[in-house]
């Protein structure tokens, strides 16, 4: 059986991060760096196989006019008096601040700039990232840019640099150590390679198993390179000398074993490494024999002589040492983090310890001062980061930030002082200081945050400062305030002058406190623990919504994913019609004085609101157009109806009139709908072909007719009329064009360079000449984009019509469009008329996209259904390039190139062109790009594009997620417009299969990922979640921590805390919650014992006498009861019923439910999995499986059992078949028989494998069993008694192994219905992973599979893969029992998705080599990748 494994959602969160100057924007000349926004640095983050590049912008904290308008309307506050956005608001009287955040000190400075993340690029890699560092190589001195070094799980290091030409990362080199002797004999899952780089970039080191480092030296100067060249005949163009493997035991010191952590130290002439290791391993139970087993060695790397002298050796460090932090050069030495203390070690082996709880003295004999009696901190999972030379932060696993001061006595460190908590932030995975005052904390389980640190000297006597530490909790991850000040506690300094270094004398008694303010965050939801499908409403339709239990600790909660962008219907507007087009326009009432128009004075708020809607329909012939306005109430009145179809309408003459284009005329209308001017589209007295499309950009109008001719008109502000514009500079007036649009550049990206020979025409276009253009444009430049039939795209400047850009690459949708410098192409009419081709550009639009910063994007849609979106980027002109081309007839060049960011192929049904009947016109589907601006919330304004037609979608770009194409969920959308007629900037009016509808986006939808999602923070994590169908409710098991005490058989407590800073340990415990998915209210719950945790939760249908049908849904729960190390673990099975109760009329929701406990059945072992089969309950207990019936709704009666493996991880049933997954004994297939009752083992996998999840997987009469293990290996088993290898069907045959490299926690089987509908639909599996990603496993037909497998081979061999990684090797599973890998039957969706990004010519070339067609392959691909 064949399948496709495809990721529908990338990993979430940040595991590794580094800061560097990677892109040229970070080092642009000081002139552009003076003005805001400017790029401070790049941050590169990674999680699993996803690498993302961000720029950190420093920009002024401006509040957009949309937000101000909304605020004025909603809050009636004085405009312009707000502080930093999102922090505080004026009260009604405007006298004082109403504090919206946590308690803050009043000494708040209004910052002049704010720092923000801006997304640049992302890559899904064919490898798992295990480390990232910034390095400088010899070519850095030429371009001033850093290089990125990335390490991977299979012991590879890739050196990457930024290429401006490709606007992307390119691979400089890849260094692989997977065949090193240390790697060969190892089960690689037990070891994780770590990457470190020398601060001066002299070398990098990768940790390998068996206590070895792979060292990669870099050349820093030409002299080093010359020396190496004399020794070895080396080529000059490589930036590194040969790497080598350093065996620490043999080459450095035989005591360096079991490396825990290692770092490079700054300030040494040669690269110097500090290694923390544990030569003798121990654990808490052996501390009487072995304690203080950790050692620290500091040695230098002499890369030339391969000599490694040890400088410092320190032994006797606590056994629970976990990591190192190098200190600044002025201090020297290193900080050692342990579970219970923090230790500073200098070069002379002096140790200064700071215990943080009472355990430190009990587990170590190292001399240390007594711990504070109130202190009981745990440092497991903490991260350390220096914020200045003598202060570092400890960020604990609950997000609490403790500053630690290093106190000097002369030049030696005398003690470490722990200051109280100054803030609570995210749960840390990585902490990095970006520059002097920006701190980045990355998290794998929630949002990652960017914070600003600031020091302030405070006199100790000030009573105003005697406040407690005000922690700001970031648990509500989507509500992060823009600039929350997290102030510190000032009661704590025991010494008077922490701030002595800043020049304050001892007598003034000041101390330095650190302020932390939140700048920005990268949203993330963390690992997926469990998931289930529930029902949600999208508009009027019920749609499936994936509810995932995500996050950890105080960042836990639910994340709700939908396939389409969720919307809410506000009203139906059938009276409007609009099947052929809807335009919502903002037109101002004007008064004419002495022949000139003046607008009436209006409040600035109402000026932005739309006042008129124009809609048009094709039926009845010749069509009808309506002009609608809003009446005093919220109804719509239609004062004007015009026969004929509207092609386009837009406000004109600075929004004082309406320009209305019909199929045969261009009309100027007054705001009340009366006609001011009409121009019939005639050629002399002969009628021209019908106008098929049009683009309006005040003061220009472009029309395209059905015979591919165009017309250009210009408005004259003085007369208030329009006239034809001379098009002679564009060549013959009979020239043919297939698409065109205008573009207004408001950000100044479109910059023209004119040659010396030219007249000043091109330059004057930049500073527009005519009065009406000057009035209209202000500081904006206007451009005309046209596409000729032979596939040439041209950009002309306005109003002089100078050709500034030309390219032929757009017809094949190449990845980069650059100016070909060609003169204007010829496109004269052909006889007979040219037939439309598949590659013809059907629609083109140049429009801005973005959130806080707008970037022009080029949208292209071809007749064959290919959509490409290009980002406009600045580019050097031909004259600036190294080899100027031969003398060019063109006089002006646009310094812009276009880089493809998205490429999609839609399956579209095309009506035959020959049909011109009324019915064909009625059936015609219009596919157009419609730009819009929307404010879904007060803090956010998005500029996007909607694509109408039978594959409608939203095209949106966010600051932190880049560009996303999100389906709208409608079958077809004929017309679309953003509409603020009802005074909401978040409304849209569209004509879909449901008629004309006013809708808005669902609140708080995040659009920065592949699937739109909403977060429901609950401040606690959930381990299990299930949807109860009969009441449409969610039942979830929360995962909490409770203090744990151990008791003996008599019930006496064995141990109690007996000292300062000593506390009870914590153990897992659970509660069950009944939640309404409509309002996310917890209706009821059940609290288990404090030592009992939920393992399994499912909804089962059991036989019962209480219903007419004889069966009913119950909630079954399996638990573990933990009794300490000395007593065997127990468990229990619970059966709950969801019952409706009488609710209070004031409650929401109106219907109220409760959990009713029906049965509690104690077990001698943990109940690790439960499921239902034919009305019976199947549960595991220890090594047994029991089948039980519910008797009289009050007890469980056993009917059958079976001895199985060691620890059952999952149970799945289908009809009377049962699948059992075991932690050691892999997969069992069992049948349940009712007469007589028994379980019969049909087949099992005889190899020892871990099966974390098991599922049935079937299509078209074939059955496979899919299993995933903890390493992420997907295996497909076949039950085939006819195969001799199966021993008559007793053995399950493993046909396929596919490496996913990430642990799967939860799978759901859903139905996949294909066009050739069968009686039984196919099974499709949706899997959720610990890195937050989602993937699907979809059955693939034999013919399609063969095509895509050949394509996969071509892509592996013929594509440049990021970081030079091998996609084929990435999926191979090491299996010593077979001669060659079993990876044939599963296709790699990550690799195949690279095909649709290629240009059409490259796609044709690849498919030609495998003997198939590009269109067929794209059709196969698009039918397989639907999420659900």
């Amino acid at each position: 059986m064949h399948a496709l494994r495809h990721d529908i959602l990338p990993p979430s969160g940040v595991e590794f991060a580094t800061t560097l100057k990677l892109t040229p924007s970070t080092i642009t000349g000081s002139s552009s760096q003076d003005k805001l926004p400017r790029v401070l640095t790049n941050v590169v983050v990674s999680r699993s196989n996803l690498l993302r590049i961000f720029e950190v912008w420093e920009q002024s904290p401006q509040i957009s006019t949309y937000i101000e308008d909304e605020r004025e309307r909603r809050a009636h506050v004085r405009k312009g008096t707000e502080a930093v956005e999102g922090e505080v608001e004026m009260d009604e009287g405007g006298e004082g601040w109403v504090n919206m955040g946590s308690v803050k000190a009043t000494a708040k400075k209004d910052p002049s700039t704010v720092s923000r993340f801006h997304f640049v690029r992302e890559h899904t890699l064919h490898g798992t990232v295990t480390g990232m560092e910034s390095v400088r190589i010899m070519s850095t001195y030429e371009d001033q840019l850093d290089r990125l070094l990335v390490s991977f799980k299979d012991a590879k290091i890739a050196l990457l640099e930024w290429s401006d030409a490709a606007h992307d990362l390119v691979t400089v080199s890849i260094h692989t150590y997977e065949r090193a002797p240390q790697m060969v004999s190892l089960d690689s899952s037990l070891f994780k390679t770590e990457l470190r780089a020398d601060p001066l970039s002299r070398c990098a080191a990768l940790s390998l198993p068996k206590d070895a480092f792979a060292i990669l030296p870099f050349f820093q100067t030409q002299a080093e390179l010359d020396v190496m060249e004399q020794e070895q005949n080396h080529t000059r163009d490589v930036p590194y000398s040969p790497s080598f493997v350093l065996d620490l035991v043999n080459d450095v010191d035989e005591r360096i074993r079991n490396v825990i952590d290692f770092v490079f130290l700054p300030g040494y002439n040669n690269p110097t490494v500090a290694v923390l290791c544990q030569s003798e391993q121990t654990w808490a139970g052996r501390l009487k024999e072995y304690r203080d087993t950790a050692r620290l060695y500091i040695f230098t790397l002499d890369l030339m002589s391969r000599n490694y002298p040890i400088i410092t050796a320190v032994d006797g460090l606590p056994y629970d040492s976990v990591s190192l932090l190098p200190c600044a050069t002025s201090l020297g030495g290193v900080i050692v983090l342990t579970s219970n203390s923090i230790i500073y070690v200098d070069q002379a082996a002096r140790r200064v310890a700071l215990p943080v709880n009472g355990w430190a003295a009990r587990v170590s004999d190292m001399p240390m001062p007594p711990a504070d009696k109130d202190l009981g901190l745990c440092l497991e999972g903490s991260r350390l980061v220096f914020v200045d030379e003598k202060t570092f932060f400890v960020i604990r696993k609950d997000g609490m930030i403790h500053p630690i001061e290093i106190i000097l006595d002369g030049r030696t460190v005398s003690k470490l002082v722990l200051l109280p908590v100054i803030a609570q932030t995210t749960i840390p995975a990585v902490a990095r200081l970006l520059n002097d005052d920006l701190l980045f904390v990355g998290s794998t389980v929630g949002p990652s945050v960017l914070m600003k640190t600031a020091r302030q000297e405070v006199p100790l006597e000030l009573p105003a400062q005697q406040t407690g530490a005000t922690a700001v909790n970031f648990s509500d991850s989507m509500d992060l305030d823009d600039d929350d000040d997290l102030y510190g506690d000032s009661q704590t300094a025991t010494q008077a002058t922490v701030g002595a270094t800043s020049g304050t004398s001892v007598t003034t008694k000041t101390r330095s406190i650190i302020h932390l303010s939140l700048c920005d965050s990268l949203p993330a939801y963390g690992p997926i623990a469990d998931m289930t499908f529930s029902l949600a409403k999208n508009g009027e339709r019920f749609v499936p919504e994936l509810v995932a239990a995500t996050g950890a600790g105080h960042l836990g909660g639910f994340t709700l994913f939908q396939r389409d962008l969720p919307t809410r219907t506000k009203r139906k507007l059938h009276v409007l019609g609009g099947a052929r087009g809807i335009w919502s326009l903002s037109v101002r009432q004007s008064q004419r004085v002495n022949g000139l128009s003046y607008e009436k004075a209006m409040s600035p708020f109402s000026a932005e609101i739309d006042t008129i809607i124009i809609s048009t329909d094709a039926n009845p012939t010749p069509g009808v157009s309506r002009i609608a306005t809003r009446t005093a109430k919220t109804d719509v009145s239609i004062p004007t109806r015009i026969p004929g179809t509207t092609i386009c309408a837009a406000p004109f003459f600075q929004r004082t009139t309406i320009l209305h284009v019909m199929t045969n005329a261009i009309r100027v209308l007054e705001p009340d709908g009366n006609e001011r001017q009409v121009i019939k589209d005639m050629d002399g007295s002969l009628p021209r072909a019908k106008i098929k499309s049009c683009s309006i950009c005040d003061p220009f109008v472009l029309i395209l007719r059905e015979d591919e001719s165009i017309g250009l008109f210009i408005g004259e502000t003085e007369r208030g009329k329009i006239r034809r514009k001379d098009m002679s500079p564009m060549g013959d007036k009979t020239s043919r064009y297939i698409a065109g649009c205008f573009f207004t550049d408001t950000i100044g990206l479109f910059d023209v360079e004119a040659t010396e020979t030219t007249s000043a025409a091109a330059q004057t276009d930049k500073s527009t000449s005519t009065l009406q253009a000057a009035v209209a444009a202000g500081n904006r430049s206007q451009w005309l984009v046209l596409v000729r039939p032979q596939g040439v795209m041209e950009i002309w400047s306005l109003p002089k019509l100078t050709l500034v850009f030309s390219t032929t690459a757009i017809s094949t949708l190449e990845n980069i469009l650059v100016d070909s410098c060609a003169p204007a192409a010829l496109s004269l009419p052909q006889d007979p008329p040219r037939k439309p081709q598949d590659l013809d550009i059907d629609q083109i639009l140049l429009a801005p996209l973005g959130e806080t910063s707008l970037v022009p994007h080029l949208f292209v849609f071809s007749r064959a259904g290919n959509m490409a979106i290009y980002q406009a980027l600045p580019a050097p002109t031909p004259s600036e390039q190294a080899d100027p081309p031969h003398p060019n007839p063109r006089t002006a060049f646009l310094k812009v190139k276009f880089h493809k960011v998205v490429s999609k192929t839609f399956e579209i049904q095309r009506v035959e062109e020959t049909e011109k009947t009324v019915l064909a016109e009625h059936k015609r589907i219009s596919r157009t790009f419609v730009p819009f601006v929307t404010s879904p919330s007060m803090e956010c304004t998005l500029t996007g594009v909607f694509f109408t037609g039978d594959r409608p979608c939203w095209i949106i770009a966010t600051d932190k997620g880049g560009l996303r194409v999100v389906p709208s969920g409608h079958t077809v959308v004929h017309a679309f417009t953003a509409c603020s007629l009802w005074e909401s900037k978040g409304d849209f009016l569209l004509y879909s299969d449901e008629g004309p509808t006013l809708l808005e986006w669902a609140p708080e939808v995040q659009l920065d990922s592949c699937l739109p999602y909403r977060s429901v923070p609950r401040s606690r994590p959930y381990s299990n979640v299930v949807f109860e169908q009969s009441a449409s409710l969610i039942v979830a098991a929360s995962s909490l921590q409770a203090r744990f005490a151990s008791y003996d058989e008599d019930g006496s407590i064995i141990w109690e805390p007996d000292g300062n800073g000593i506390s009870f340990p914590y153990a897992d415990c659970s509660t069950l919650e009944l939640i309404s998915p409509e309002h996310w209210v917890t209706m009821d719950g059940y609290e288990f014992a404090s030592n009992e945790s939920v393992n399994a939760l499912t909804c089962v249908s059991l036989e019962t006498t209480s219903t007419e049908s004889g069966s009913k849904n119950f909630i079954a729960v399996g638990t573990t009861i933990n009794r300490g190390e000395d007593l065997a673990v127990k468990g229990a099975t619970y059966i709950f019923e969801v019952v409706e109760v009488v609710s209070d009329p004031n409650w929401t929701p109106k219907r109220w439910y409760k959990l009713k406990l029906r049965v509690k059945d104690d077990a001698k072992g943990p109940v690790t999995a439960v499921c239902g089969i034919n009305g019976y309950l199947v549960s595991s207990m220890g090594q047994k499986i029991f089948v039980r019936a519910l008797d009289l709704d009050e007890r469980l009666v056993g009917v059958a059992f079976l001895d199985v493996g060691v620890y059952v991880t999952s149970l799945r049933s289908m009809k009377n078949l049962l699948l059992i997954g075991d932690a050691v004994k892999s997969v069992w297939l069992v049948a349940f028989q009712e007469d007589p009752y028994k379980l019969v083992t049909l087949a099992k996998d005889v190899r020892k494998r871990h099966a974390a999840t098991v599922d049935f997987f079937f299509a078209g009469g074939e059955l496979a069993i899919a299993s995933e293990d903890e390493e992420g290996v997907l295996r497909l088993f076949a039950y085939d008694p006819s195969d001799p290898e199966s021993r008559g069907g007793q053995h399950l045959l493993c046909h396929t192994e596919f490496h996913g490299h990430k642990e799967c926690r939860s799978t759901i089987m859903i139905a996949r219905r294909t066009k050739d509908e069968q009686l039984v639909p196919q099974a499709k599996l949706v899997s959720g992973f610990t890195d937050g990603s989602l993937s699907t496993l979809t059955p693939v037909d034999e013919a399609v599979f063969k095509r895509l497998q050949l394509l996969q081979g071509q892509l592996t061999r013929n594509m440049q893969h990021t970081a030079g990684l091998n996609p084929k090797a990435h999926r191979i599973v090491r299996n010593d029992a077979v001669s060659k890998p079993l990876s044939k039957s599963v296709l790699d969706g990550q690799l195949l998705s690279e095909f649709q990004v290629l240009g059409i010519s490259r796609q044709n070339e690849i498919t030609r080599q495998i003997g198939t067609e590009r269109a067929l392959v794209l059709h196969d691909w698009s039918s397989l990748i639907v999420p659900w």
Side-chain angles (χ1 to χ4, degrees), residues 17 29 68 77 112 176 209 253 400 422 446 469 537 554 631 671 740 841 898 964 1034 1061 1143 1225 1261 1265 1331 1369 1421:
E68 294 214 346
V77 301
S112 57
T176 172
D253 192 306
M400 295 298 181
I422 60 167
K537 272 193 104 169
H554 65 279
T631 56
I841 304 296
F898 295 94
R964 301 286 174 198
I1034 299 275
S1143 70
K1225 296 289 186 71
I1265 295 164
D1331 63 359
W1421 176 246

Side-chain angles (χ1 to χ4, degrees), residues 231-286:
E231 291 180 5
Q232 302 155 353
N233 296 322
H234 238 11
T235 52
R236 245 167 213 283
D237 54 353
V238 290
Y240 47 84
S241 57
S243 63
F244 58 93
V245 174
L246 174 66
D247 188 327
L248 296 174
V249 175
N250 294 327
D251 299 344
V252 185
D253 192 306
E254 59 185 14
R255 294 169 297 177
I256 304 182
R257 297 177 186 276
N258 306 315
V259 173
I260 300 167
D261 194 14
F262 72 104
V263 291
F264 281 93
L265 302 183
Y268 288 86
N269 290 333
N270 279 335
T272 303
V273 186
V275 176
L276 181 66
C277 62
Q278 195 173 23
S279 48
E280 183 74 50
Q281 291 185 302
T282 185
W283 65 291
R286 289 185 73 199

Side-chain angles (χ1 to χ4, degrees), residues 404-444:
I404 293 186
E405 298 265 8
I406 299 175
I407 308 300
L408 292 178
D409 184 2
R411 300 200 55 181
T412 58
V413 173
S414 60
K415 62 176 175 177
L416 305 177
V417 177
L418 177 74
L419 303 179
V421 174
I422 60 167
Q424 181 176 20
T425 180
T426 186
I427 295 173
V430 58
R432 281 269 188 279
L433 200 64
L434 303 192
N435 53 23
D436 296 340
D437 61 351
L438 282 179
L439 174 66
F440 176 69
V441 181
S443 173
T444 54

Side-chain angles (χ1 to χ4, degrees), residues 293-314:
T293 54
R295 299 164 181 248
L296 178 73
Y297 292 91
I298 300 177
F299 61 91
T300 57
L301 298 172
D302 191 334
L303 300 172
M304 288 299 198
S305 63
R306 300 279 172 95
N307 195 13
Y308 316 105
I310 291 182
I311 302 172
T312 307
V314 181

